[in-house]
């Protein structure tokens, strides 16, 4: 049996939960690269932040999943094409606490759809427990009104079962458009 390798990408702004989500579903500690972020760049954060996360996960099916986490900030977009290339699934993560989470999801969906036209997409909204006023249906409707029809779900990046569910949902799409049923 040939082993199938699949590439999955998490993209989102700093604090959206990428590193935590990848750690939640990894058997081993993921590889994370760090780079300094200065005041001028973010306007807030002075210490180092994780720029890229990577982990490989063996699925029950025997397939190998390569998982990448890439920052959603504009100034790091030089990394996006190489990470998006050949991706089967792309999860856009947004932090419910941020006022700009709709704009962030919209922008990242547009950019990554252009970079990976064959990929399946889903949006995961993190930190909803800290934001009781956040309405998932309203957020989903707002994305639809911007032309994005896709799975949008709450996900606590710290909860492996929730991240696992989101990833499995996305992986199940890979068959949706390739089925060639006899007439
Ligand atoms: N309360 C709460 N915290 C979360 C949730 N998802 C992620 N976090 C926390 O949010 C913080 C930022 O996550 P991190 O993975 O570092 O974000 P990254 O910058 O995208 O890699 C971490 O402290 C996580 O534990 C959530 O749904 N609820
Ligand atoms: Mg991180």
């Amino acid at each position: 049996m040939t082993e199938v390798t699949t590439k999955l990408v998490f993209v989102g702004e700093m604090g959206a939960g990428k590193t935590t989500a990848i750690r939640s579903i990894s058997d081993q500690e993921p590889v994370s690269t760090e780079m300094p972020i200065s005041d001028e760049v973010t306007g807030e954060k002075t210490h180092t932040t994780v720029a890229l996360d990577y982990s490989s996960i063996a699925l029950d099916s025997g397939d190998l999943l390569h998982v990448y986490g890439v920052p959603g900030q504009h100034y790091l977009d030089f990394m996006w094409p190489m990470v998006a290339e050949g991706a089967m699934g792309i999860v856009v993560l947004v932090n419910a606490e941020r006022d700009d989470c709709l704009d962030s999801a919209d922008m990242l969906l547009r950019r990554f759809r252009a970079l990976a036209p064959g990929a399946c997409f889903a949006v995961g909204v993190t930190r909803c427990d800290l934001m009781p006023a956040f309405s998932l249906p309203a957020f989903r409707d707002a994305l639809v009104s911007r032309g994005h029809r896709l799975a949008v779900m709450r996900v606590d990046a710290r909860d492996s079962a929730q991240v696992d569910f989101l990833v499995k949902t996305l992986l199940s799409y890979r068959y949706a458009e390739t089925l060639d049923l006899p007439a």
Side-chain angles (χ1 to χ4, degrees), residues 10-152:
F10 285 89
V11 59
E13 306 284 335
M14 202 188 301
K18 304 176 295 292
T19 303
T20 309
I22 293 171
R23 190 174 286 140
S24 291
I25 53 169
S26 298
D27 311 322
Q28 307 109 322
E29 186 63 13
V31 179
S32 297
T33 56
E34 308 227 333
M35 63 184 255
I37 299 292
S38 72
D39 268 327
E40 304 98 287
V41 179
T42 63
E44 50 193 36
K45 199 159 177 170
T46 51
H47 42 280
T48 61
T49 190
V50 171
L52 194 68
D53 306 294
Y54 169 77
S55 187
S56 69
I57 298 164
L59 299 176
D60 298 343
S61 59
D63 297 351
L64 196 63
L65 191 62
H66 293 283
V67 188
Y68 295 82
V70 67
Q73 293 93 308
H74 275 124
Y75 64 92
L76 295 170
D77 68 0
F78 64 89
M79 289 199 255
W80 296 354
M82 51 189 148
V83 171
E85 193 194 357
M88 195 288 302
I90 298 183
V91 179
V92 172
L93 285 182
V94 294
N95 175 355
E97 291 178 297
R98 295 204 35 156
D99 293 339
D100 61 355
C101 64
L102 178 64
D103 289 338
S104 169
D106 182 22
M107 180 276 287
L108 290 171
L109 286 169
R110 279 176 209 288
R111 294 287 305 269
F112 276 81
R113 275 186 161 140
L115 291 169
C120 303
F121 286 81
V123 175
V125 187
T126 61
R127 302 176 66 92
C128 293
D129 53 302
L130 303 170
M131 199 63 195
F134 181 83
S135 162
L136 193 72
F139 183 74
R140 190 181 285 134
D141 288 350
L143 280 175
V144 169
S145 73
R146 294 186 185 205
H148 306 293
R149 290 185 182 275
L150 75 172
V152 181

